[in-house]
Amino acid sequence: MTVAPVMKAPLPPGTREHLLSPVTHAALRLQNAIAIASREFLAANGFVELLPPMLGPVTDPGVRGAKQLDVDFYGHRYKLMTSVILYKQASLLAFDRIFYLAPNVRLEPLETATTGRHLVEFHQLDVEMRDATRDDVLALLQGLMRHIVAHVLRECTGELAALGRDPGAFAALLRDDFERMTHTEAVRRLQGLLHGQSADAEIDWQGEKLISEQTDRPFFITDYPKGSRGFTDGESRTEPGVLRNFDLIAADGFGELASGGERTHEYRRLIERMRESGENPSKYAWYLELARDGGLPASAGFGLGIERVTRYLGGLETVWQATAYPKLPGVLAP
């Protein structure tokens, strides 16, 4: 099998040039509209917005090859958040539906600096629903994306024109349901495109790009194999080894926008999944105490990348164009 070459995206200019750029102005106004529309939609559906934690004794272990950043917290080693997923689950003890607009820091591998889709510092719209299934979350996320796009098309005509983005690119998104395919089906499609995708691993970045170039609207990939994701992704009760999770992939080669699914929440299963994935349960003491003592509620949710959605809706070449102060792997910047 042959693999298509990976195109390298440009690096950002200096801070002054970037902040004065008309592209930056249009992209950030577009991003502001995305945040407004997201809050509007979630509030209308009964969600409570909480302010996100920024550091803790542990953070999400399920990041693709990225490293966590340690900080000294009064003589203890704490982590900057790579994802607030553990805190989302815990917050459901207070509210049935919550969301954060959360900052995250991941030390991505150096080779991702020019992929056009990776940042060290980025933001996610993190959403969690108590007693929800994956199907509930897929329907919610489709509705959210449609609401965001409709808001942007109504309120950001000037910004889209400045970025050269054709509003017609979103006609299928607004008209048709998002396709759903299993991980197995996605692997089969990629192998048909002569891309050497492993059947046991996450869909790689080039694979996401290739498969999304074949579509006219975002789509879901579901049912990843257990070994490909962290312990928080819930395993199917009827299909051992299959996770009740998903990725949302944008059309036109823009790649992944969101990941989510049902959560592991029972104390015994959390211990098992931690050990299976090579995690030390003692690191997660506060989280496991909640699961053991009162029980974490069953839930499902997702994290939607704000800069990635901005890139997709604006048709931007690279994700750093969707942030005022881009930080790329290995590139020193303000």
Side-chain angles (χ1 to χ4, degrees), residues 25-37:
H25 298 168
L28 295 183
R29 284 195 294 265
L30 189 69
Q31 189 172 96
N32 184 61
I34 290 168
I36 290 171

Side-chain angles (χ1 to χ4, degrees), residues 4-223:
V6 177
M7 302 299 292
K8 290 189 175 182
L11 295 175
T15 302
R16 177 181 174 81
E17 182 181 350
H18 180 58
L19 290 174
L20 290 174
S21 168
V23 171
T24 303
H25 298 168
L28 295 183
R29 284 195 294 265
L30 189 69
Q31 189 172 96
N32 184 61
I34 290 168
I36 290 171
S38 298
R39 287 184 163 111
E40 180 181 76
F41 178 85
L42 292 170
N45 281 274
F47 286 82
V48 176
E49 180 175 8
L50 302 179
L51 299 179
M54 296 179 63
L55 72 164
V58 289
T59 184
D60 175 24
V63 292
R64 293 182 176 186
K67 295 181 180 179
Q68 301 170 357
L69 192 64
D70 292 339
V71 298
D72 179 78
F73 187 71
Y74 301 99
H76 296 271
R77 179 177 293 179
Y78 269 45
K79 308 285 186 182
L80 291 182
M81 289 295 106
T82 61
S83 165
V84 293
I85 184 168
L86 306 181
Y87 294 88
K88 286 198 299 181
Q89 286 184 272
S91 295
L92 294 177
L93 294 171
F95 300 100
D96 288 346
R97 296 183 171 205
I98 63 99
F99 74 96
Y100 300 113
L101 190 55
N104 296 275
V105 176
R106 297 180 186 177
L107 296 181
E108 299 283 359
L110 293 176
E111 61 268 23
T112 63
T114 56
T115 63
R117 50 177 290 169
H118 289 90
L119 292 168
V120 171
E121 183 180 81
F122 64 97
H123 296 78
Q124 285 191 159
L125 182 68
D126 270 296
V127 177
E128 200 74 12
M129 301 168 61
R130 182 172 182 147
D131 296 326
T133 67
R134 184 182 62 192
D135 287 346
D136 295 330
V137 171
L138 295 183
L140 181 78
L141 183 50
Q142 177 177 287
L144 172 64
M145 285 297 299
R146 285 178 165 172
H147 185 83
I148 289 170
V149 169
H151 180 90
V152 164
L153 292 178
R154 184 173 64 250
E155 303 294 335
C156 299
T157 55
E159 287 74 20
L160 293 174
L163 296 171
R165 187 61 155 150
D166 179 10
F170 307 111
L173 179 154
L174 294 170
R175 182 187 64 238
D176 302 323
D177 286 339
F178 297 177
E179 182 184 2
R180 302 181 187 185
M181 70 181 75
T182 66
H183 178 272
T184 299
E185 292 168 340
V187 170
R188 189 180 303 120
R189 290 194 193 190
L190 285 169
Q191 291 175 347
L193 294 170
L194 304 182
H195 180 71
Q197 171 65 49
S198 168
D200 300 316
E202 292 185 302
I203 305 300
D204 61 42
W205 304 318
Q206 186 64 9
E208 287 178 2
K209 182 176 185 297
L210 284 171
I211 202 168
S212 72
E213 286 174 339
Q214 317 300 312
T215 68
D216 59 0
R217 64 192 185 281
F219 63 95
F220 296 110
I221 299 177
T222 66
D223 298 337

Side-chain angles (χ1 to χ4, degrees), residues 240-299:
V242 175
L243 298 176
R244 293 281 296 169
N245 62 356
F246 69 89
D247 283 342
L248 174 66
I249 312 296
D252 302 321
F254 284 94
E256 179 196 334
L257 298 177
S259 291
E262 295 174 17
R263 311 302 187 192
T264 310
H265 64 97
E266 298 160 313
Y267 178 77
R268 179 185 59 81
R269 287 294 296 133
L270 281 167
I271 296 290
E272 290 174 356
R273 292 279 283 119
M274 286 178 182
R275 289 174 175 161
E276 288 171 352
S277 59
E279 289 288 332
N280 180 359
S282 66
K283 290 168 47 180
Y284 299 90
W286 75 268
Y287 174 74
L288 289 173
E289 285 173 8
L290 290 178
R292 182 192 62 210
D293 295 343
L296 288 170
S299 69

